[in-house]
Amino acid sequence: MGVQISLHARDRKLIKIGLDSVICSRGLVQSLLGPHPLCPLESNPSHHLQIKTLAKIVDCPSHRGMFSGSIAPGPCDMAICLELNEHEVLVVYEDKLPGVDVFVCTADPTIEPPLMVINTVLSVMAYDYPPEKLTVYLSDDGCSEQTFYALLEASRFSKDWLPFCKKLSIEPRSPAAYFSNIFDKHDNDHPSKSKELLSIKKLYEQMVCRIETAMKLGRTSNEIRSQHKGFAEWDSVQSPSDHQTIVQILIDGRDSEVVESEGCTLPTLVYLSREKRPKYHHNFKAGAMNSLIRVSSNISNAPIILNLDCDMYSNNSESVRDALCFLMDEEEGQEIAFVQYPQCFVNVTKDDIYGSSLFVGMKVEFPGMDGYGGPAYIGTGCFHRREALCGKKYVEGDKFEWNKGFERKEGSAGKLEETSKIFANCSYEHGTQWGVEMGLKYNCPVEDVITGLSIQCRGWKSAYFNPPRKAFLGIPPVTLDQTLVQHKRWSEGDFQVLLSKYGSLTCGIGKINPALQMGYAMYGLWAPCSLPTLCFLIVPPLCLLKGMPLFPKVSSLWFLPYAYVIGAAKSYSLIEFLTSGGTLKGWWNEQRMWLFKRTTSYLFGFMDTMLKLLGFSETAFDITAKVVDPDVCKRYEQEMMEFGTSSPMFTIIATLAMLNLFSLARGLKWLFTEGLAFEALFLQVLISSIVVAVNLPVYQAMFFRRDRGRMPTTITVKSTVTSEESNGLSIVFKFYIRGHFCNMGLQDDLCSRERRFNEMDMDLVVRRRAVVQSLLGPQPIFSLEPHTFENKLPGVDIFVCTADPTIEPPLMVINTVLSLMAYDYPPEKLSVYLSDDGGSVLTFYALLEASHFSKHWLPFCKKFNIEPRSPAAYFASISDSISQSTEFLSIKMRHTNSSYGSSSIQKLYDEMKHRIETATKFGRISNEIGAQHKGFSEWDSVSSPRDHQTIVQILVDGRDPRALDTEGSPLPTLVYLSREKRPNHHHNFKAGSMNALIRVSGNISNGSIILNVDCDMYSNNSKSVRDALCFLMDEEKGHELAYVQYPQCFNNVTKNDIYGSSLRIIREASLLYVDFPGLDGYGGPAYVGTGCFHRRETLCGKKYVEGHKFEWKRGFVRREGTVSELEETSKCLADCSYEKGTQWGNEMGLLYGCPVEDVITGLSIQCQGWKSAYFRPEKIGFLGVPPNTLADALVQHKRWSEGDFQILLSKYGPLTYGIGRINVALQMGYCVYTLWAPTSLATLYFLIVPPLCLLKGIPLFPKVSSLWFLPFVYVIVAENLHSLFEFLWSGGTLQGWWNEQRMWMFKRESSYFFGFIDTVFKQLGLSNSAFDISSKVVDPDVSQRYEKEIIEFGTSTPMFTIIATLAMHNLFSLVGGLKRVVTDVEGWAFESLFLQLLLSSVVVLINLPVYQGLFFRKDKGRMPASLSFKSTVLAILLCFISLY
C-alpha cells in the first residue's frame, strides 16, 4: 500500500539566552541512523525510509494520523512529499528506539484510591510507543492488597483498552478522563466508534465495580486471591510499615503469548512494594524511587526513566517521542539529563481559587530557568537519563550510543521477581551511596528539587517543554488546608536545600550559571520571606491603632518611591499573570493565596526548619489527599473557600484578618476626625484596606456562612479576642508551637542520615563498583555477583589491643573480637589478632571461650543478617528496643527448633558470659579449665604482667579444613599475642604493641590490609571492610591512599553529651563532621588510633611512588607450616630485643616517644607522599565506650593535648617537617590540634585577670559608648554564633552546645594546662612520657548519674581544684562588680566594666554545675569537702590580692 505523506519540520526549541539551539526531528534521525542532508532527500530513494522514520517519530502535531491518505502541506516551515510503504517504516526505526521505564508512585490507598492509580497506569501503558520497549512500574509504599488487585484488573483491561486507544487515536488515554470527556461532549457521531465505545465503557465499568467492591469490603475474597500467585505474598505482611519486598510481574512484555485483543504485544507491567521494617527509615518517596531504579535495572534496564505521581495521568500519548527529541538531539542532546514537563491540573476552577495552576511558575519562571541551564526537577512528569540519576557526571564530548538498541534482561518472570527483591530490601543501601551520590537524595522534604540541583551541579543541563496539548494532568488540592500544607512542605524543603551542602548559593558556585543559582534561591527563600510579610501585616496596623505614622506623608517627596514600588510591583504582577493565561479575578485570588501562604505555610516551614536544625524536630512527608467529600467538591466548583477544619494556620489567618479590620476601622476614624491624620497615615490605611479586601472570604466564613465550610466557632472566637488584645506576633508563635507539637507524634522518625564523601580537592567518586573494576575490569553496575570476585579480594588482618583486664574487662574485649570475626567478608581471608599487653591468663581464657562461641555466633549473624554483630550490643538492642517487634518475634518463631535460633544463641552467650565473669571474679583459672588448651601452660613461666616471655597462640587456624562453624563454613583465623616484657626494656606502650602485631601477623597471615581497633570499639557495621576497600582499591585514586579513617563514635553518649565526648554531637563529632572532612580535601585526615584501615606496606615505611599501583589481582596467599611452627617462629618477632638496631618505631611501624603515636605516625606517612581518606557512613562503622566521668574525660584530653604539643615541637612538626611534603592547608589543620596545650595560657588569663580587675574597678575594655566597643561585640557575637550554627548544623542540640562550651573551658583550664606543663618538663628532661588508659569499668551509681546528665566530681584531683577555684573566683568578682555598678551614682562603672561583667557572668553561668557540686549536692558525685574548702580559700586569697 503506498501513501503520500507530508513532513513538516517541528519548531521545537530549547529556550536559551545566548544559545541558538534548535532541537528538532533532524537531530533525532541523525542520532538513530547517522548524518543525512535534509533537503536532497526528495531525489534520493535510498533515504525514503529515514524520512519516514523522521515523520513517524516527530510528526507535526497538526498532521498526526497522516497514514490515512494524502495530506496537504500545513503552515510549518518545510514540507517533503514521498511515496513510502508503511510496513517498511516500522522495521527501520522501531528497533533503534531506546527502552523507557515509567515509574508511578503511590503510598496510601485511603487517600490515593487504587482506581485513580490504575487510570494513571493505563494512560501510560497506552503511549504511542513500541510496547516491547515500554515498561510500567507501580511502587506501592502502602503495601495494599487492594492496590495490587486493582493493578491486576488493569492488566487484564489493558488487553482491550490499548488496541481501542491506538485504533481510534483517542486522547486522553486515561479511561476515567476519556469517558468523562467523551460523554460530556456527546461525541458519538461515528456509528462504529459509538459501538466500540459502549463496549469498552461497559468493560471499564465492570472493572470499576469489582475494584470498588473490594475497597468497600477492605479485603479481597478467596475467589479473587486464587486468581494470581501474588496474593500469597500478603500472608507474610504484618502491616504496611512492616513487610517483606513484594515484586510481581503482571505482564511480561517478552512473552510472545502475552498479547492484547488485536494480537499486538503489551508493555511490561510490574508491581513493587519495597521492604519496610520499623527499625529502618524508609526515606519516603525518595526511597521508593531509588528502589524502583534498582529493581527496574534488573528487569528492563531502560536508559530513559519517566516518573509520575499516581494522580498525574498522561494527557498526550506522544509525550515520550516529544521528550526524545531533546534527549536524542545530535548537537545538544548529550548535555541534557532530564526533560521536565509542566505540572498541570484537570479540575482547576475558572479563576483558580487556591492558585493551584502555578501560571507564572510554569509559563514564566521555568522557561526563564531553561535559558540558564534548565529548570528544576519537580518530582513528576519528568523524563530522566538513567545514568544521570545513578550519579554519573557529565563528561564533555561523551555521547550515548543510542544505536546499540535495547535489550531486556534474560530469565523467567519468576526468576526476575526473586532476583529483584534484594534490590528493594531495607539493608541494601547500607554501605552504598544511594540517597547521597546515587538516585534521589534523602533527608529533604523536596527530594526532587535537591536531586535535580545536584544533577545540574555535576555538569548536566535540563530542558523544559510545555507543549500545546498538556502532557500530564493531575488533581490539585481542593481545600485551603490541603493547599497550605502542601506549600508548607515545599517551602520547608526548599529552605532546607538552601541551608544544606547542596545549597545553590554555595554548592552551585562555579558549577551552574549564577542566574540559575538565583532562580533556585528564589524558591529557597520562600520560608524566610514569611518574616517580613508578618511584619507588614502586624506592625503597621498596630501603629495605626495608636495613630503612629510609619511612612512619609503624602505631600512629601519621599512618598514617591513608596508609591512607585507599590504601583510598579502590582502592575507588573498583574500583566505577568494575564499574559500567562490567567484572569483578573484569578490574579486577585493569587494575591490572596500569596498572603495566606506567607503568613502560614512559609512561616511554619521556616519554624520547622529551625527546629530541625536545633534538634527539636525531624523531617516528615505529608501526602496530599486525593479523596474529597462531595460537599467540599461542590463548594470548590462554586469557588467558595474551605475553612471547615480546625488548623493553627486558620487561626493565624483569621487573627491577622481581624487585626487589620479593627486597625482599618480605627484608622478611618483618625482620617475623619483629624484632617492631618490623612497625610501621615495614608499608606498604613492603604495596607490595612488591601488586607481587609483580600480577606473578605475570611470574614464571610467567620460570620456569615452557614455551610460546613465555614470557619469553626472556636477559631472565630479565639482570633477575634486575640486581635482585640493586639498580641500580634507572639500569638502567632504560640499557635504554631502548639499545633506543631500536637502533631509531632504523627510524624515518622528520621533514622538515616546522608552518607557523604566530604572532599574539597580530590574528585574521588568511590563506590563498590570501583572494587570490582579494579579486580575484573568494568562491569555493569547491577550485574555483579559476589562469587565472581571473592577470590580476588585481599587478605585483611585485624588488630585488637588491650592492656589491663581490670579496667578493660575481658568480656568487653571478646565482644569486640566477635564483632570483627563476623564481618561480611570471606572468612579464609580474615585474621583477627588480640594483643594482650597485660599478659592476663583471664583474657586468654575469655578469647578461648570466644573461639568456641564463634562457631555458633558467626553463622547466626550471617543467616539472619543482624547488626551490630557484637553479642552484648545486639542482645541489649533487642531487649531494649525491639523485643516486641514483629520482625524479632517472627525470627524467634521460625527458628525456635534451630540449633542456633535467637533464644538458643543467647543462652549460649549467657553461659559463656557466666563462665568468664566467674573466672574474672576469682582472678584465676581452675585446673579443669587449664587442661582445655595447651596455651595455659605458658603462664607457668610468667612472673608478672611486666616480666614474661612472648606468648603466641593460634586459637583458630583458618587454613585448617576442620576449623568450621556449625554450618560447615570456614572460620577466620584467631590469634592471641602477649609480647615479651622485661623490667629493663621499655615497651613503648600501644605503639610497641602495634609494631609487634605487624611483625607477627606478617609471619602468620600477612594480609595486605590492616585494621586496628581499640578493645572497647566494637564493629557496628559488618560492611566496613568492603566500604574501606572501595577507597583503597579505587581504580583511579586508590593507589594514592595509605589509610582510610572512620570516625571515632560512641554508643552511650547522653542526649546532650554532658562531657563533649563525641567531639561535637552524638555519633558524629564536629571534629569528625567538620574538621576531618575539611582535612580530607587537602590530603586526608589524621590517623586517630582506632577504626582505621591501613596498607601494610605504608605502615612498614614504604614511600609513595608516583604511578605505582598495587596488584590486587595477585590474590591472597597464607604462610605455610603447622600451627606450632608458626607460633614458635612468631615468638622471636615479639621479643624485647628484636627491634634493637632496626628502624622499628622510627622509620617503620608506629613511631615511638609520643603519647599520641597514632597522630604522629599518620603525619609521617602523609609526609612520605601518601594521602588518606575519611569515610563517615550512614551506619556508623565502630562504636566505643566514652569516659563516663569528668575526671576520665579530662585525663584523656590531657594526654591528647600533651601528645599533639610534643608533635609540634618534635622533628615531625607539621610547620617544619611538613613544608613541601604536605599541603599548606593540611599543615594548618594539624596545627589546630598541636596548639591545644598552649591555648590554655590565654584561657587562664581571661579567667583570672579580667575578674581581678573587675573587683578593683579597673576597666580593661572600651566603654559601651565608644566606637572601639564595636569590634569586641562583633568578635564575641560572630564567634559564638558561628560555633552555635556549626554545632547545630552538625546535628547537635542547643543544650549540647552549651555543654560543649563548658567542656571547652574545663579542658583549657585543666587538661590542656597540665599537658602544656608536662610537655615543658619533658623538654627540660624533668619528666618522661606516660600512657594513661581510660577505664572502661563504671560504678553503677556513677553510670546512673551519667545517664541523668549529672556531672561527676567525686574524686579529688588537681584539675578539679583549678576548676573550682576559678569558678569561685569569678563568682566573687561578679558579685563585687555588680555591687560597684549598683552603688555608682555617676553611671561610669557600667559603661567601663560592661564587658568584664559580661565575661564573669558567662563564666558563672557555665559553672553552675560546679557550684551545685560544691555546695548543694548530697550524692557521692559531689565535690569532695576538702577540695571545696581549698578552692574557696584560694579564690578568696586571689580576691584579697587584687583588692590590697
Side-chain angles (χ1 to χ4, degrees), residues 1131-1153:
K1131 286 181 180 180
C1132 65
L1133 301 175
D1135 286 350
C1136 293
S1137 58
Y1138 181 85
E1139 294 180 349
K1140 286 186 178 180
T1142 70
Q1143 288 296 305
W1144 283 99
N1146 186 17
E1147 296 294 333
M1148 298 175 68
L1150 274 72
L1151 302 188
Y1152 295 157

Side-chain angles (χ1 to χ4, degrees), residues 650-659 662 698 702-703 711-726 731 735:
F650 291 168
T651 303
I652 294 177
I653 290 172
T655 300
L656 294 176
M658 294 305 297
L659 172 63
F662 294 148
V698 179
M702 292 177 73
F703 305 113
M711 193 78 76
T713 306
T714 54
I715 291 182
T716 301
V717 173
K718 191 189 303 181
S719 58
T720 305
V721 172
T722 302
S723 59
E724 285 179 348
E725 292 176 353
S726 302
I731 299 297
F735 286 127

Side-chain angles (χ1 to χ4, degrees), residues 839-904:
S840 170
V841 69
L842 299 175
T843 303
F844 176 73
Y845 170 59
L847 192 66
L848 179 63
E849 286 282 359
S851 68
H852 299 324
F853 178 68
S854 66
K855 297 178 181 180
H856 304 272
W857 177 246
L858 270 59
F860 174 79
C861 293
K862 294 173 182 178
K863 183 169 185 179
F864 298 122
N865 196 27
I866 67 166
E867 297 284 358
R869 297 190 174 180
S870 159
Y874 173 69
F875 294 131
S877 65
I878 287 296
S879 60
D880 291 345
S881 304
I882 57 170
S883 59
Q884 300 302 321
S885 74
T886 54
E887 180 185 17
F888 184 64
L889 291 176
S890 64
I891 290 176
K892 292 182 74 174
M893 290 173 63
R894 280 181 287 160
H895 303 282
T896 301
N897 298 323
S898 174
S899 61
Y900 51 88
S902 55
S903 58
S904 174

Side-chain angles (χ1 to χ4, degrees), residues 1284-1354:
L1284 175 60
F1285 178 78
E1286 183 181 67
F1287 191 91
L1288 297 177
W1289 175 77
S1290 300
T1293 64
L1294 190 61
Q1295 180 66 41
W1297 175 77
W1298 186 248
N1299 292 337
E1300 177 76 10
Q1301 303 311 299
R1302 181 184 302 113
M1303 288 304 300
W1304 179 94
M1305 190 173 72
F1306 285 179
K1307 288 182 291 190
R1308 278 158 181 75
E1309 66 188 14
S1310 58
S1311 303
Y1312 297 173
F1313 178 62
F1314 280 103
F1316 177 80
I1317 296 297
D1318 274 358
T1319 301
V1320 172
F1321 281 2
K1322 183 177 183 295
Q1323 295 295 320
L1324 296 173
L1326 303 176
S1327 174
N1328 293 320
S1329 293
F1331 193 94
D1332 302 306
I1333 304 171
S1334 300
S1335 176
K1336 311 302 187 298
V1337 181
V1338 184
D1339 182 81
D1341 290 340
V1342 173
S1343 182
Q1344 189 176 13
R1345 287 191 291 273
Y1346 174 72
E1347 290 170 1
K1348 293 178 180 178
E1349 297 196 339
I1350 300 174
I1351 292 183
E1352 190 71 26
F1353 295 104

Side-chain angles (χ1 to χ4, degrees), residues 533-649:
T533 305
L534 282 170
C535 178
F536 272 91
L537 289 175
I538 294 173
V539 178
L542 288 178
C543 293
L544 182 59
L545 281 170
K546 285 290 186 180
M548 296 167 56
L550 291 177
F551 304 106
K553 294 181 179 180
V554 176
S555 57
S556 170
L557 286 176
W558 291 106
F559 175 81
L560 295 179
Y562 287 88
Y564 170 75
V565 169
I566 295 171
K570 294 304 174 186
S571 299
Y572 175 81
S573 170
L574 175 61
I575 293 171
E576 187 179 60
F577 192 87
L578 294 177
T579 55
S580 297
T583 64
L584 185 62
K585 189 176 180 182
W587 173 78
W588 185 247
N589 291 337
E590 178 74 14
Q591 302 308 298
R592 180 184 302 112
M593 289 304 301
W594 181 94
L595 192 70
F596 286 178
K597 288 183 291 190
R598 278 157 181 75
T599 55
T600 57
S601 304
Y602 297 173
L603 173 66
F604 285 13
F606 177 80
M607 295 296 288
D608 265 356
T609 301
M610 290 295 101
L611 288 173
K612 183 176 183 291
L613 289 176
L614 294 172
F616 298 134
S617 176
E618 294 180 342
T619 302
F621 192 94
D622 303 306
I623 303 171
T624 306
K626 312 300 188 301
V627 180
V628 185
D629 182 81
D631 290 339
V632 173
C633 190
K634 186 177 180 181
R635 287 191 291 272
Y636 173 71
E637 292 170 357
Q638 295 173 354
E639 296 198 338
M640 296 173 64
M641 278 198 157
E642 190 70 27
F643 295 97
T645 57
S646 267
S647 167
M649 295 189 183

